[in-house]
Amino acid sequence: MKRRDFLKRSLGAGILSSGFPFPLLANSLGFQFVDATAQAGIDFRHNSGAYGGKLLPETLGSGCAFLDYDADGWPDILLINSMDWPSHKRQRSTLKLFRNNRNGSFTDVTKSAGLDLELYGMGVAVADYDNDGFPDIFISCVGQSRLFHNTGKGTFIDVTQKSALLNKQAFSTSALWFDYDRDGLLDLFVCNYVRWSAEHDVFCSLDGKNKSYCTPEAYRGDTCWLFHNRGDGTFEDVTSTSGIFDTSSKSLGVAMLDFDQDGWPDLLVANDTQPNKLYRNLRNGKFKDVAVEMGLAFSNEGKARAGMGVDCADFDNSGKPGIVITNFDNEMLGLYRSNGKSFDDVAMPAGLGPASRNTLGFGCVFFDADLDGHLDLAVANGHIDDTVRNIHGNVGYAQSPQLFLNQGNFSKSPLNSAAISLNPKSAAASPSLISIATATWISSSPPTTVPPTSTGTIN
């Protein structure tokens, strides 16, 4: 069933929701998360520019990243923002850079850092692309994406034109830095969603009268981009020659992994209503999509789901990468475990399937929440259209994030009877985040941080 048909049926009949099938055990976890946003001095509100015109980009949130932009050993925070549409200007909204004060609080340094500008931002990827020791910033946007070079003096300079990335305009979503040819220089991968512009916005409606947000099925797909780092501050578009070119994709998330463990970075791309892509690195500057044979392109029922967020990590301590992909409501999360030859979706036996059936997942991240040596999973949920709150029985527009704790009891028996358990521990219902980033940002001593040459964050 197409998403548009599903939404229409839901409007008329309502969506049944029984909540979480597992008890909420927040009081017995032995730890808790406390909202320290206000106390830390983080003042930020995302602006989608929505004015009633129901333009497609408004359905997506924006990215965030921890980065040590001033190289003082303490992670700072970057929050990407969108903006009002030019024809309906009401307010000015910019991205925000918060410097870590080393005492649990942050200071807004956006203006002094040279980042006080308006963009219709989507995702962000942070890395030291020129190997000067300071993390640089790539922001994917609706329209022209931007690359900002870190001067090493607490400021950034827009080098989009200088780097040969100008005039590459699209509905860009996520981005990732990685060294695909292992030459010591970080290359750039950019996800693009669909062929969309405000001038050619499609009229969609659930009731035949009032405009609603279109699903991606109303638009043609677009190819992702791969830019090779030349080492002189400029990038070469190698999308076609590398095997990445594919205009059927509608990409929202990307993650790096070495699924065949040959020492060369591969890429997993989450597509919305199109098959996911697993690009195997052929070690000669080219990639081959092997998602179908590796069991990652479709659901267990053979359908392309609405892939949103993606993360890869060894969640079963097997020494092999595992994968999670968030999807639309009524589709469940996909949790993939390597069987040595391909991947099996173990979301159902792991307990993630039923718990995520009635949520719409976006950002996701594996991390060890309880420090027991087993990677847990956090998922940010939220619907794309606020009119779903009018549908009887629906879970609503604002949806609670979910935390799945890994109990570490993966069995050596066949997967269909394995004791795989990641039980959901949910907070009270609250407006959803769209992106997730984790870091140690308050400590009695400077934390150990991920080197800035690592891959960036995922929207």
Side-chain angles (χ1 to χ4, degrees):
M1 177 183 295
K2 292 185 177 181
R3 187 194 300 176
R4 170 64 48 183
D5 298 331
F6 173 74
L7 289 173
K8 285 183 177 180
R9 188 181 69 174
S10 301
L11 182 64
I15 304 176
L16 297 178
S17 173
S18 58
F20 301 116
F22 304 101
L24 302 182
L25 305 176
N27 294 329
S28 62
L29 295 179
F31 70 93
Q32 62 178 342
F33 290 96
V34 178
D35 186 349
T37 309
Q39 179 183 351
I42 304 298
D43 183 13
F44 175 82
R45 182 177 293 273
H46 178 256
N47 174 28
S48 70
Y51 63 91
K54 300 287 186 178
L55 302 182
L56 184 63
E58 299 166 3
T59 64
L60 301 178
S62 56
C64 60
F66 282 101
L67 74 163
D68 184 10
Y69 85 97
D70 52 1
D72 65 351
W74 293 77
D76 312 297
I77 296 176
L78 179 66
L79 301 173
I80 305 305
N81 209 344
S82 300
M83 59 182 287
D84 285 345
W85 299 107
S87 59
H88 292 80
K89 200 68 178 174
R90 296 170 297 179
Q91 60 180 308
R92 187 174 188 272
S93 55
T94 72
L95 58 116
K96 291 289 184 179
L97 176 64
F98 294 93
R99 186 185 64 223
N100 194 322
N101 296 328
R102 312 183 190 183
N103 61 1
S105 67
F106 293 80
T107 298
D108 185 348
V109 295
T110 309
K111 190 171 184 179
S112 62
L115 295 174
D116 185 42
L117 69 162
E118 286 193 293
L119 304 167
Y120 205 99
M122 283 285 153
V124 57
V126 176
D128 180 12
Y129 75 86
D130 58 351
N131 293 337
D132 66 354
F134 294 93
D136 309 298
I137 299 170
F138 178 83
I139 300 176
S140 56
C141 300
V142 176
Q144 177 65 59
S145 297
R146 303 286 191 92
L147 177 62
F148 295 93
H149 179 252
N150 191 329
T151 65
K153 301 177 182 180
T155 60
F156 292 85
I157 298 176
D158 188 340
V159 294
T160 309
Q161 181 173 1
K162 183 179 179 181
S163 63
L165 294 175
L166 193 64
N167 298 322
K168 300 293 293 186
Q169 299 199 21
F171 189 160
S172 300
T173 51
S174 295
L176 179 145
W177 295 97
F178 75 130
D179 185 8
Y180 77 89
D181 54 355
R182 303 201 315 184
D183 64 353
L185 299 169
L186 288 172
D187 310 298
L188 178 63
F189 185 90
V190 181
C191 290
N192 292 318
Y193 193 30
V194 295
R195 298 284 185 96
W196 178 91
S197 68
E199 296 74 22
H200 298 91
D201 185 64
V202 176
F203 179 88
C204 296
S205 177
L206 293 174
D207 59 11
K209 299 178 182 179
N210 300 302
K211 187 179 182 185
S212 62
Y213 287 114
C214 290
T215 68
E217 295 156 322
Y219 296 93
R220 294 169 53 196
D222 203 356
T223 184
C224 297
W225 293 326
L226 178 60
F227 298 100
H228 178 251
N229 191 334
R230 293 191 178 108
D232 60 359
T234 65
F235 293 84
E236 176 188 5
D237 186 348
V238 295
T239 305
S240 296
T241 57
S242 64
I244 296 296
F245 185 81
D246 174 20
T247 57
S248 69
S249 289
K250 300 177 181 181
S251 306
L252 288 176
V254 58
M256 183 184 72
L257 73 164
D258 182 10
F259 79 93
D260 52 4
Q261 300 183 305
D262 64 351
W264 291 74
D266 311 302
L267 290 179
L268 177 61
V269 177
N271 279 323
D272 189 358
T273 69
Q274 292 293 313
N276 299 318
K277 303 291 184 180
L278 177 61
Y279 290 109
R280 168 180 274 157
N281 193 326
L282 300 181
R283 299 179 282 184
N284 59 1
K286 299 182 183 299
F287 291 83
K288 179 182 179 182
D289 177 23
V290 294
V292 174
E293 51 262 50
M294 295 303 295
L296 296 170
F298 304 99
S299 69
N300 286 339
E301 293 75 31
K303 299 179 180 179
R305 291 188 283 191
M308 306 285 188
V310 57
D311 196 20
C312 302
D314 182 11
F315 65 82
D316 61 353
N317 291 340
S318 64
K320 300 175 182 178
I323 297 165
V324 63
I325 300 177
T326 60
N327 297 299
F328 208 75
D329 59 2
N330 207 43
E331 290 185 336
M332 305 186 298
L333 294 175
L335 181 69
Y336 299 92
R337 186 185 184 194
S338 174
N339 60 26
K341 296 181 180 180
S342 61
F343 288 89
D344 297 304
D345 187 348
V346 296
M348 288 298 290
L352 273 71
S356 62
R357 184 180 295 277
N358 292 317
T359 59
L360 198 166
F362 276 94
C364 57
V365 62
F366 285 112
F367 74 118
D368 190 359
D370 51 1
L371 304 180
D372 65 350
H374 302 285
L375 291 177
D376 310 301
L377 175 65
V379 179
N381 299 311
H383 216 284
I384 63 170
D385 193 335
D386 59 359
T387 59
V388 298
R389 63 168 60 99
N390 301 323
I391 302 174
H392 176 69
N394 205 333
V395 291
Y397 179 55
Q399 298 178 8
S400 171
Q402 290 172 298
L403 173 62
F404 297 91
L405 287 185
N406 189 336
Q407 296 183 342
N409 56 348
F410 284 85
S411 171
K412 294 182 179 180
S413 59
L415 284 174
N416 58 6
S417 61
I420 304 172
S421 183
L422 286 88
N423 288 337
K425 310 293 187 283
S426 173
S430 60
S432 172
L433 299 172
I434 298 301
S435 302
I436 297 180
T438 61
T440 302
W441 56 271
I442 180 171
S443 174
S444 58
S445 60
T448 301
T449 57
V450 178
T453 52
S454 298
T455 56
T457 58
I458 308 303
N459 182 27

